[in-house]
Amino acid sequence: LLKVGDNINFHRLRDSGAYYGPTAGRNIDTVPVGDVGLYSIGNPGAWPSGSTFFWVSTQRTYVTDAKLQVAIAYHASGAQEPAQWLRTASGDGSYGPWRSLTPLRSSSANGHCVRFADGTQICWVDSLALTNLSSATIGTSWTYPAAFFGSPSVNFAMLDVPAAGFREHSSRVLPNVGFSSIQLLQNSVWPDPTTIHVTASARGRWF
């Protein structure tokens, strides 16, 4: 027979799942399949980023301990962008990393970044100042707002027009996983001081 209290819990779980606050001590890495609930990241285990609470469901995908977890960020305001994460566990129950199913956007003093679920990462910066590095070279080092898994493809375009007589030049980009060196090389000598502003973008992978 189903007790009255059990019946209440059944309907509560059917509607929204259990609630596990920051002191519940429930390890998200070891919860059983069929578990559904609203979790604080104060609980043990590996959590996605972007929120302090996640609605998490765990289901079996195959025999043994192969399973799937879906985490949806809980926001206090409906105006915030929704975010959904996914991870899978192999037959021994060991989970891989969380992967975001929605684009992850961020900004800093170094520019802007968006990460996609397939591993693509795009970074861009509105303006960089190239200044004298040597008599024939102006340039700068751009630290991306987020590092890449490998060296990305980097492009830039000038926002300023060099003075007359200094418009015959070549460009060079030396990319790395965390930064790029962007340079303009003059056939003769750049005036000192010279400042040319550029906009730049980088495209690669974040995993």
Side-chain angles (χ1 to χ4, degrees):
L1 294 177
L2 188 66
K3 297 179 181 178
V4 173
D6 292 337
N7 191 40
I8 293 173
N9 286 331
F10 168 78
H11 286 287
R12 180 166 61 87
L13 290 170
R14 183 188 65 180
D15 291 340
S16 61
Y19 171 77
Y20 300 103
T23 60
R26 189 170 174 85
N27 192 326
I28 195 64
D29 295 340
T30 58
V31 296
V33 294
D35 181 83
V36 178
L38 181 63
Y39 280 82
S40 164
I41 62 172
N43 286 284
W47 290 97
S49 61
S51 184
T52 56
F53 277 89
F54 288 90
W55 187 88
V56 182
S57 63
T58 305
Q59 65 185 77
R60 191 180 304 280
T61 57
Y62 194 54
V63 296
T64 63
D65 281 333
K67 50 194 174 183
L68 165 74
Q69 273 190 338
V70 177
I72 300 174
Y74 174 82
H75 297 310
S77 169
Q80 292 177 268
E81 184 175 346
Q84 186 176 18
W85 297 74
L86 176 76
R87 69 174 179 171
T88 57
S90 58
D92 65 359
S94 300
Y95 280 105
W98 288 101
R99 296 302 186 202
S100 173
L101 301 183
T102 49
L104 301 175
R105 304 179 188 276
S106 61
S107 295
S108 71
N110 294 329
H112 314 280
C113 178
V114 58
R115 287 178 166 178
F116 297 95
D118 67 351
T120 300
Q121 175 171 298
I122 301 173
C123 295
W124 68 98
V125 62
D126 298 328
S127 181
L128 292 169
L130 308 188
T131 56
N132 299 82
L133 299 179
S134 66
S135 61
T137 305
I138 62 172
T140 191
S141 179
W142 173 36
T143 299
Y144 315 126
F148 288 85
F149 181 75
S151 295
S153 173
V154 179
N155 296 282
F156 71 94
M158 289 190 295
L159 299 174
D160 302 327
V161 178
F166 299 95
R167 296 173 185 171
E168 187 176 341
H169 56 262
S170 58
S171 60
R172 179 168 62 185
V173 175
L174 304 173
N176 207 317
V177 294
F179 66 94
S180 282
S181 178
I182 298 173
Q183 301 175 359
L184 289 176
L185 292 80
Q186 181 60 244
N187 287 335
S188 56
V189 176
W190 286 103
D192 191 4
T194 291
T195 300
I196 299 292
H197 292 89
V198 301
T199 180
S201 65
R203 184 184 182 96
R205 301 191 62 83
W206 62 281
F207 72 82

